[in-house]
Amino acid sequence: MPVISPNAFAPSAANDAAGPIAADLREKIRRLERAHSAQRAGQQAVSLEVPAIDALLPSNGLLTGALHEIEAGPVPSGRVASHDGAALGFAAHLLGRFGTLRPNGTLLWCRRPFGASDAPPYAAALAAWFDPARLLVVTVRRDEDLFWAMEEGLRCPGMAAVLGETRATDLTAGRRLSLAAEKSGVPALLLRGQPAPPQSVCTTRWRVASTATHSTPGLDDVGAPRWRIELRRNRFGAPSVTETPTWLLEWNDEAHCLSVVPQAFHGSTRESDARLVG
């Protein structure tokens, strides 16, 4: 009668090594299945035209029939601004990118002002990203009304994208927006002036903050705007080599595009900026 050693059933070093590999493989399969399901549901993906970022997103772009969140990050002084222009600019950039899929569609911007100094979007500035004539702005007094207006907008024919500017966090409203976006194929964006809790049903979440610009010494030009962008949630996309992929991006006002700042650049006042390139 053969004798079976108790150690025969103990996990071997090979099995230990296979554990993380199997988990990584399951995660990749799960993401591929979800991305395939999204494609079968008629969802498109729009490229950000930044290869380093697009490579991590499903179908190399942001899904249209989905909810995406943009939140303001800390400004160079270290504090979080109540209304950061970098986060608003990135949200406008996403609106413009989504708008290219439906050139004749309306861009709905729903907002709840938080004081007299909280001015509406400035049309002349938004023209860098899309035609302001396409923009429909809805102003509400309550967060409930803002989420309702967004949901109704997602159901409205002829809509290219819907954005809501709010500080509220409502998981139920988020689920309703996500379902409405998936059903209509119209992208929904939530722009927050403050970081939101990690619980969310959004497909992607971005944290955006302004950083030091680059200017030529001896010239009065303040330089092109630079944003530090973190991809804090990427539900259906490819896993990153880092836990939170981060890029230092620069806006080109002439070419109307974003580009990753090279590692070797001049004029930065922060050594950490050079390590942010993905």
Side-chain angles (χ1 to χ4, degrees), residues 38-123:
Q39 291 176 349
R40 287 196 305 172
Q43 294 186 24
Q44 294 178 281
V46 61
S47 168
L48 295 186
E49 298 187 335
V50 181
I53 299 179
D54 287 337
L56 295 180
L57 301 175
S59 301
N60 290 318
L62 286 177
L63 294 178
T64 55
L67 174 65
H68 307 277
E69 294 187 4
I70 306 103
E71 60 185 29
V75 296
S77 63
R79 65 181 181 84
V80 175
S82 59
H83 193 293
D84 185 62
L88 190 148
F90 184 68
H93 177 66
L94 296 190
L95 270 184
R97 295 301 306 146
F98 282 128
T100 60
L101 298 179
R102 298 184 180 182
N104 298 321
T106 300
L107 301 172
L108 177 62
W109 192 308
C110 305
R111 60 190 313 272
R112 179 194 172 192
F114 288 89
S117 60
D118 192 355
Y122 184 47

Side-chain angles (χ1 to χ4, degrees), residues 129-142:
W129 294 286
F130 54 82
D131 182 2
R134 302 177 59 187
L135 187 65
L136 175 62
V137 178
V138 174
T139 303
V140 301
R141 295 183 178 179
R142 304 185 307 165

Side-chain angles (χ1 to χ4, degrees), residues 10 13 33 53 65-66 95 109 111 148 150 157 170 184 190 259 276 278:
E33 288 176 342
I53 299 179
L95 270 184
W109 192 308
R111 60 190 313 272
W148 177 86
M150 290 184 65
D170 189 326
S184 66
L190 278 178
S259 59
L276 295 173

